[in-house]
Amino acid sequence: MLTHTTNKDTRAIEAILDFQNRQYLYPLVYEPELPLTKRGEGAQLIERCDDIIKSTNDNRLYRILELTNKLKVLLISDPMTDKSAAAMDVNIGYLDDPNELPGLAHLCQCMLPRESKKYALNDYSMYISFNKGRSGGSTHMDHTTYYFDIHTNKLWGALDHFAQFFIEPILSEDRIEEEVMAIEWEYMNNLQNNVYIYDHLDNSKDLESVKFKFGLGNKHTLDTVPKQKGINVWERLLEFYEVHYSADIMSLCVLSKENLNELEKMVVDIFCKIPNKNIQPQKWNYNLFHQDHCGHTWYTVPAQNTRALLITFPISLARFFDTFSEEYKCRPTKYISYFLEREGENTLLTCLKKLDLCKSIVCGERAKARGYMFYDIRLNLTENGLKHTESIIYQVFHHIWLMQQENSMEWIFDVHIIDATKNINICRGC
């Protein structure tokens, strides 16, 4: 993530969109057995679904729509909320940046909210802030998210401003320099951020396979170098928007106090105007690491004081997140994580703690883009552990080997099923 604005409802909606908009997760929302109601001829809807699986303690009401322009919509009605919120996720990210213009997708994300044919410069940001709201956006490898929250009585006006980003935006050449300087400021701040440093290292490992992309961009990549090469950044920005922004690769989520029928009318009336250019989002089905990079140790000097050893495995996203595959149903990474993280007699963590090498272990999947994923084992080390990383790596692989020798322990799956059920039922909504 390149930029982020925090708010309870906004975070929730952004998470929902990030989850439901990825192509390999669509079946979780659009299961064939769900009772989809077809709309009549001339209607602005293709499909509607109200039968949403949710927590028994969740009093919110949900509805899924698909508009005639192929825009996918999730509506959430919560009469108790004191804020309305919305987010739009577009299946385009910085992996689609031209090689000669790193940061172009991020620049587009920064430019779109500024001005449209319907609303003057900065009208959107002023409308949101004047009505006790916040707004933001984030550019990821394969998708870009725009979001806001606002006083509940001002939702319709905010949605109308918001939709103009995707209907008739004005990408003014005069504003590019200002936005590039804002990106440069963000870049300089991120140099002191460990998460950004680690992410940058991840991307730089796969130069041969995924074509390393500097997604954030800075003044050097978006101003200095293009001028040297005679590249018109404004013309390339217009081309990027026209080629990549289309309703059929967008998903909208709206949360407010109104009932679902009222929310549906608002959304359909406004967002059906977004053009559909019939775009197919790319899948990045590459070998994540070049063979020469496997089995190597990479050292990073952190911006903040931390001691950690991260062991990373590239894994097939199609296998692990195809909802119809056996791997998805049994969640093998959950099994592996439990085995490596647990404390007890002769476990990896207990062994390393006794040797004063490690404080804790955290394992899990880390999705980067469609078809592009890692499985990480992160060990938080002691000062002594930092001096014995090779011994720790040996112990990790030794315990993985021990796990392979054992018969599968069904009780581990049972524990995860119970925990997952509890988590769903405890949740009242995001």
Side-chain angles (χ1 to χ4, degrees):
M1 183 177 292
L2 303 177
T3 62
H4 187 57
T5 301
T6 60
N7 175 270
K8 183 179 178 182
D9 281 335
T10 303
R11 287 200 308 267
I13 289 178
E14 189 181 15
I16 290 169
L17 278 169
D18 187 32
F19 183 82
Q20 69 98 17
N21 193 39
R22 291 173 180 273
Q23 185 169 349
Y24 50 81
L25 288 174
Y26 280 163
L28 290 177
V29 177
Y30 292 102
E31 290 282 5
E33 64 266 27
L34 290 177
L36 296 172
T37 302
K38 297 286 182 178
R39 308 299 289 170
E41 250 184 37
Q44 293 171 312
L45 293 180
I46 297 174
E47 294 175 334
R48 176 201 279 149
C49 174
D50 287 346
D51 187 9
I52 311 297
I53 298 172
K54 62 177 185 176
S55 165
T56 54
N57 296 318
D58 186 358
N59 295 321
R60 290 174 171 177
L61 298 177
Y62 299 84
R63 176 174 293 172
I64 294 171
L65 308 173
E66 184 174 357
L67 308 191
T68 50
N69 60 359
K70 301 294 185 180
L71 176 69
K72 293 162 285 294
V73 181
L74 175 63
L75 303 177
I76 307 173
S77 174
D78 183 359
M80 304 301 293
T81 187
D82 60 352
K83 281 282 186 79
S84 297
M88 179 74 86
D89 197 71
V90 187
N91 261 326
I92 200 73
Y94 64 76
L95 284 180
D96 290 281
D97 281 346
N99 290 332
E100 66 276 15
L101 273 178
L104 188 63
H106 186 206
L107 177 62
C108 185
Q109 174 238 305
C110 295
M111 291 283 291
L112 282 184
R114 296 295 301 274
E115 188 177 4
S116 66
K117 288 188 178 179
K118 186 171 184 179
Y119 294 105
L121 181 66
N122 295 326
D123 263 13
Y124 166 71
S125 59
M126 289 189 293
Y127 186 89
I128 296 294
S129 59
F130 183 76
N131 291 292
K132 304 177 181 179
R134 299 180 185 180
S135 62
S138 55
T139 304
H140 307 255
M141 294 183 83
D142 65 341
H143 68 115
T144 303
T145 307
Y146 303 82
Y147 49 89
F148 71 83
D149 64 50
I150 198 166
H151 191 281
T152 52
N153 294 328
K154 298 296 181 180
L155 176 61
W156 190 93
L159 287 176
D160 195 49
H161 280 78
F162 190 63
Q164 304 311 312
F165 304 176
F166 316 105
I167 298 173
E168 289 186 307
I170 292 178
L171 299 172
S172 174
E173 186 174 12
D174 296 338
R175 308 293 171 199
I176 287 182
E177 184 177 354
E178 179 183 346
E179 292 301 331
V180 168
M181 292 311 299
I183 290 172
E184 172 72 9
W185 178 83
E186 186 179 348
Y187 164 73
M188 296 302 295
N189 280 347
N190 278 346
L191 294 178
Q192 303 303 315
N193 185 323
N194 279 346
V195 174
Y196 174 78
I197 292 171
Y198 299 152
D199 190 59
H200 198 69
L201 176 62
D202 266 347
N203 292 340
S204 66
K205 291 174 186 174
D206 50 12
L207 286 167
E208 300 295 330
S209 53
V210 185
K211 301 295 184 185
F212 168 61
K213 300 282 186 174
F214 175 40
L216 177 60
N218 58 16
K219 190 174 187 294
H220 182 73
T221 66
L222 292 169
D223 182 72
T224 305
V225 172
K227 285 178 179 176
Q228 292 171 350
K229 294 183 176 181
I231 297 171
N232 188 313
V233 176
W234 176 60
E235 290 179 357
R236 299 298 294 274
L237 176 65
L238 294 177
E239 179 186 357
F240 184 89
Y241 177 82
E242 289 301 323
V243 170
H244 293 299
Y245 273 68
S246 175
D248 59 327
I249 59 167
M250 295 180 184
S251 292
L252 173 70
C253 185
V254 180
L255 179 150
S256 193
K257 66 179 182 180
E258 289 84 0
N259 65 48
L260 291 174
N261 290 333
E262 291 170 331
L263 289 175
E264 179 179 317
K265 186 176 188 328
M266 278 190 210
V267 165
V268 171
D269 287 349
I270 297 172
F271 289 90
C272 66
K273 300 171 186 174
I274 299 175
N276 175 15
K277 302 169 187 174
N278 296 309
I279 294 174
Q280 288 296 322
Q282 290 197 56
K283 289 186 179 179
W284 309 95
N285 295 317
Y286 298 98
N287 294 320
L288 300 189
F289 291 142
H290 190 274
Q291 189 60 38
D292 292 344
H293 294 161
C294 294
H296 283 212
T297 303
W298 303 67
Y299 294 91
T300 306
V301 178
Q304 294 97 33
N305 186 30
T306 185
R307 293 185 296 270
L309 171 63
L310 185 67
I311 302 174
T312 298
F313 300 86
I315 61 177
S316 168
L317 205 58
R319 288 183 60 199
F320 285 90
F321 277 87
D322 177 353
T323 55
F324 300 105
S325 73
E326 290 303 315
E327 285 89 348
Y328 178 82
K329 294 175 183 177
C330 69
R331 303 305 298 271
T333 54
K334 294 289 185 183
Y335 182 94
I336 298 168
S337 297
Y338 182 86
F339 190 91
L340 295 176
E341 291 176 348
R342 64 182 177 141
E343 279 197 78
E345 188 177 358
N346 297 323
T347 64
L348 173 63
L349 183 55
T350 301
C351 173
L352 295 176
K353 278 187 172 182
K354 285 181 178 178
L355 297 171
D356 188 31
L357 298 176
C358 178
K359 297 177 180 179
S360 62
I361 300 174
V362 179
C363 308
E365 308 139 355
R366 180 162 51 95
K368 298 284 283 184
R370 291 178 296 276
Y372 186 34
M373 186 175 185
F374 298 124
Y375 179 77
D376 290 335
I377 304 171
R378 179 188 171 95
L379 301 99
N380 296 308
L381 305 181
T382 62
E383 289 188 21
N384 187 45
L386 199 59
K387 302 172 185 176
H388 298 89
T389 54
E390 290 189 8
S391 297
I392 295 171
I393 293 170
Y394 171 82
Q395 287 290 339
V396 170
F397 280 92
H398 176 66
H399 279 77
I400 291 174
W401 178 83
L402 290 175
M403 178 181 61
Q404 292 172 326
Q405 308 313 306
E406 292 190 18
N407 293 325
S408 61
M409 294 175 280
E410 190 172 345
W411 64 269
I412 295 179
F413 294 105
D414 294 338
V415 167
H416 282 297
I417 290 171
I418 293 169
D419 287 346
T421 304
K422 284 181 179 178
N423 289 339
I424 291 174
N425 289 332
I426 289 171
C427 180
R428 179 209 165 269
C430 298

